[in-house]
Amino acid sequence: MKNALVAKILYEVADLLELEGVPFKPRAYRRAARAIEDCPTPIEDLAAEGRLTEIAGVGEAIAQKVAEIVATGKLAYHEELKAKLPVELRALTQVEGIGPKTARLLYEELGIRNLADLERAAAEGRIRSVKGLGEKTEQKIRRGLAETRGAEKRLLLGRAWPLARHLVEQLMATGLYRHVEPAGSLRRGKETVGDLDLLAVSDRPDEAMRAFCSLPDVAEVLAQGPKRSSIRLSDGFQVDLRLVPANAFGAALQYFTGSKEHNIRLRERAAARGWKLSEYGLTSADGEVLAGEDEAGIYRALGLAYIPPELREDRGEIAASEAGTLPELVDARRVRCDLHVHTDSSDGEATLLAMARAAAERGLRAIAITDHLRFAQAIPGLSADDLRRQIEEVRRRNETAGLTLLTGVEANIARDGTVDVPRDLLKDLDLVIASVHTHLRLGRKEMTDRLLRAVEDEGVDILGHPTGRLIGERPPCEADWDEVFRRAAKTGTALEVNAHPQRLDLGAELIRRAIGFGARLAIGTDAHDVGHLDFLEFGVITARRGWATAEHILNTLPVEDLLAARKRGR
Ligand code: DGT
Ligand code: CA
Ligand code: CA
Ligand code: ZN
């Protein structure tokens, strides 16, 4: 899957054109890059089928360039532009506080070409010496760097899953494998994935390994052996494949799913019984195999209830399993509605009708149309009159949509915590989300007060993407989360689990804290195009990692109960 590679090059083209002062084009390239990055279908498949222009923002000109990247791994136009500014622009501009102009300045003044250079300059306090940057910018860059560093070379969960599925499909299509399963952090649903760990059973291991190492998207074979091979894909991502015997598949799956910390605890438990647990199985002191073929059997033999992969982080799951107090994690099949959807009335790409159809096709029971209100000149959003008209359209379409369309809005939380939703429309809005979009770097006290004011607002049902983080790009805002969660629980304000791959906000740890206070969750994809509706599953996985059950999640309720359970229905 070459989506990440194509997106990266288009983003860089956008930045380079912006630096040259070219109008309009940068936006067009960025829009296309974002759409390709978010697209769950391999871009090379779309290219092969001549369907590139179906992607939002991709016209003939960009389609040609995409085809060139798919075919050759690079783009002549990009190389030309890059000759003038030979830096790793995409990596640098992903750091919060660095746009293309700052990147150029940093290159010209300090010779900074990549993240390592930037880190050194920041550590040595040299950034503040550049005219026009100063100490505040340096601090911002340092914070951004910490965020970028943590996620560097790691893939977002929501990008890793489509990639893994695609690889599994390609491998299965060779007919050389009995089955192939993703393990590792991906299976645990971690928000970013360092490398992909695939496990497989094959009756023709040599051919199976050869097939893996010659997959179409392989840039480099890092290791090729009879039991384990490693490849690097064109976008730099590493994939390991292990062939294991069928009678030890469960043990291998358990072992390679991790986490390491969870496995250590489990091995200790086996050792305490005089047993041995490894990737080959659970064996007694005299070598008798107690379990190994299926994963659940290992937990059973150790006297434990099955622990879902999302909980395997050594955060109390083993004790809970032993005590029989593990939560019954929310099942994806119970989440059949999406509570955060945009259309082209604000900054979405698709019409209300198209979004509704796509949702119905996916078997969703309901979606809430929650476009932005206009809060800043530069960002498309609805006026109160537009919203009134949209509410009418939602109701009209509801009759024939094949699923329930809820009226809604995503309002903005101003710096002082006030929410700009038109109060006279509240009775017509099924759901009001309020989110922070600007001034994310307030001090902890001011941010807490701001969020609390929004949470206390009687018109607000859901606090949208509460921390404002963009994984690998922008750190979460600072606030007294316990206080926010306590008040959310008390007022009945739901906390969003924004399922967009770059957000996953709230994340798993904060979710666990929030439900500890009795707060409710609302999963929303924040879809800006039809394909984004598929993000829903990542919201569910994240909720599961936060120990959430169906009862914690508004989405699991039938629509009428959902409306009764939201804050304004209580
Ligand atoms: P990642 O790739 O950084 O997102 O995280 P993981 O958890 O996928 O880690 P990875 O790819 O290094 O290894 C996959 C799993 O294999 C890991 O979760 C547990 C198991 N594993 C790997 N190395 C060790 C080890 O040294 N000891 C133990 N107990 N387990 C290991
Ligand atoms: Ca891994
Ligand atoms: Ca690995
Ligand atoms: Zn939104």
Side-chain angles (χ1 to χ4, degrees):
M1 204 160 150
K2 300 190 180 183
N3 301 42
L5 176 74
V6 173
K8 175 179 167 267
I9 292 177
L10 297 185
Y11 274 124
E12 287 205 358
V13 168
D15 286 348
L16 290 161
L17 289 173
E18 187 173 316
L19 283 175
E20 303 216 325
V22 178
F24 310 118
K25 277 190 179 177
R27 262 185 83 167
Y29 275 96
R30 240 168 244 143
R31 181 167 166 230
R34 203 168 303 129
I36 290 167
E37 187 170 52
D38 282 340
C39 171
T41 314
I43 190 76
E44 57 273 31
D45 292 359
L46 294 177
E49 292 161 20
R51 292 170 53 202
L52 288 175
T53 50
E54 286 175 23
I55 300 170
V58 178
E60 285 302 332
I62 294 184
Q64 262 183 28
K65 297 192 168 66
V66 171
E68 184 183 335
I69 302 170
V70 167
T72 67
K74 46 189 195 204
L75 178 66
Y77 182 54
H78 172 237
E79 305 285 323
E80 254 167 58
L81 288 166
K82 208 176 149 155
K84 296 173 218 166
L85 187 66
V87 304
E88 288 176 25
L89 202 50
R90 174 66 179 152
L92 290 173
T93 56
Q94 257 188 1
V95 178
E96 200 196 11
I98 301 192
K101 294 212 173 72
T102 309
R104 180 171 60 189
L105 197 59
L106 289 169
Y107 171 66
E108 286 168 355
E109 298 295 318
L110 301 174
I112 291 172
R113 286 170 184 263
N114 52 38
L115 285 178
D117 294 347
L118 182 67
E119 203 156 51
R120 218 169 306 122
E124 291 165 5
R126 280 186 285 134
I127 291 171
R128 72 186 78 172
S129 68
V130 176
K131 197 161 163 256
L133 294 187
E135 198 162 341
K136 241 184 150 164
T137 311
E138 184 173 286
Q139 269 173 16
K140 193 170 185 181
I141 290 175
R142 264 203 205 133
R143 262 198 316 265
L145 257 174
E147 190 65 19
T148 308
R149 269 294 172 200
E152 199 198 357
K153 299 253 151 83
R154 297 182 65 85
L155 203 61
L156 298 173
L157 181 74
R159 316 256 189 256
W161 262 119
L163 172 66
R165 287 193 182 119
H166 181 59
L167 290 169
V168 169
E169 239 170 62
Q170 286 178 311
L171 292 174
M172 288 307 289
T174 64
L176 294 168
Y177 298 86
R178 274 202 244 168
H179 51 116
V180 183
E181 299 273 348
S185 51
L186 180 77
R187 183 162 181 250
R188 301 199 311 281
K190 213 172 152 184
E191 59 201 32
T192 64
V193 173
D195 70 356
L196 208 58
D197 304 284
L198 299 177
L199 294 181
V201 176
S202 168
D203 300 321
R204 292 149 73 184
D206 295 344
E207 291 163 82
M209 275 308 186
R210 264 202 303 280
F212 174 68
C213 293
S214 49
L215 283 170
D217 197 21
V218 174
E220 190 186 350
V221 176
L222 303 168
Q224 183 171 357
K227 289 188 181 160
R228 171 172 174 260
S229 296
S230 277
I231 55 175
R232 194 189 304 289
L233 302 177
S234 62
D235 58 10
F237 200 63
Q238 187 180 321
V239 186
D240 297 344
L241 176 75
R242 290 184 175 82
L243 294 181
V244 301
N247 64 5
F249 189 78
L253 187 59
Q254 197 292 313
Y255 182 90
F256 290 109
T257 295
S259 69
K260 201 170 159 186
E261 293 73 17
H262 172 87
N263 287 355
I264 289 170
R265 292 276 163 268
L266 220 55
R267 270 204 308 272
E268 285 170 359
R269 195 177 170 88
R273 288 163 169 70
W275 301 341
K276 186 166 172 284
L277 176 62
S278 73
E279 64 257 56
Y280 305 107
L282 179 66
T283 47
S284 68
D286 45 22
E288 187 199 348
V289 178
L290 303 168
E293 189 165 350
D294 83 307
E295 193 182 42
I298 291 174
Y299 288 94
R300 208 171 333 135
L302 288 168
L304 295 172
Y306 180 73
I307 301 176
E310 292 92 336
L311 300 188
R312 300 182 195 169
E313 299 290 345
D314 189 23
R315 297 205 180 117
E317 70 277 10
I318 294 178
S321 161
E322 179 165 36
T325 56
L326 276 178
E328 192 178 321
L329 299 185
V330 57
D331 186 322
R333 283 166 302 196
R334 298 237 4 223
V335 178
R336 301 299 342 145
C337 64
D338 187 340
L339 300 179
H340 189 159
V341 172
H342 293 273
T343 75
D344 62 358
S345 295
S346 66
D347 57 352
E349 299 281 356
T351 62
L352 173 49
L353 185 61
M355 293 305 281
R357 281 197 180 134
E361 264 169 34
R362 284 163 172 76
L364 294 185
R365 214 172 44 212
I367 57 173
I369 303 298
T370 55
D371 273 313
H372 294 284
L373 286 166
R374 189 174 302 143
F375 64 91
Q377 282 305 325
I379 305 166
L382 306 177
S383 68
D385 278 340
D386 298 334
L387 179 58
R388 196 168 287 124
R389 274 190 293 275
Q390 188 184 58
I391 290 169
E392 279 160 25
E393 187 188 351
V394 170
R395 287 181 176 153
R396 205 168 55 241
R397 300 239 183 252
N398 215 351
E399 322 254 307
T400 54
L403 80 170
T404 305
L405 299 177
L406 298 172
T407 59
V409 76
E410 180 176 15
N412 189 48
I413 302 175
R415 182 171 180 160
D416 66 358
T418 53
V419 175
D420 63 357
V421 59
R423 303 287 149 167
D424 58 323
L425 287 180
L426 277 180
K427 60 180 188 325
D428 296 309
L429 291 166
D430 295 325
L431 276 184
V432 174
I433 303 174
S435 335
V436 165
H437 295 101
T438 55
H439 306 289
L440 280 129
R441 295 271 78 85
L442 300 182
R444 183 181 161 94
K445 170 86 173 65
E446 195 181 353
M447 187 56 98
T448 305
D449 290 346
R450 178 187 188 188
L451 292 174
L452 289 178
R453 187 161 177 190
V455 162
E456 299 279 347
D457 190 318
E458 286 171 4
V460 173
D461 298 303
I462 299 170
L463 183 63
H465 45 74
T467 78
R469 72 166 176 175
L470 293 177
I471 300 169
E473 213 167 309
R474 186 167 76 199
C477 67
E478 280 171 45
D480 179 349
W481 293 112
D482 286 355
E483 190 54 29
V484 172
F485 298 157
R486 199 175 289 126
R487 298 275 273 278
K490 198 157 167 222
T491 54
T493 314
L495 299 161
E496 182 173 65
V497 178
N498 190 296
H500 189 282
Q502 216 180 355
R503 290 193 183 270
L504 298 181
D505 185 7
L506 296 176
E509 281 173 48
L510 288 180
I511 288 172
R512 195 169 171 192
R513 262 159 75 185
I515 61 182
F517 285 102
R520 285 275 194 123
L521 306 170
I523 303 178
T525 60
D526 210 347
H528 283 70
D529 203 347
V530 289
H532 302 180
L533 293 166
D534 294 331
F535 295 156
L536 198 58
E537 65 169 311
F538 310 124
V540 179
I541 293 170
T542 303
R544 286 169 61 89
R545 266 180 81 80
W547 294 53
T549 70
E551 288 66 46
H552 294 122
I553 298 172
L554 279 180
N555 309 53
T556 60
L557 296 169
V559 174
E560 272 176 34
D561 297 350
L562 188 158
L563 292 176
R566 87 203 142 126
K567 178 155 90 189
R568 289 176 305 130
R570 301 196 325 163

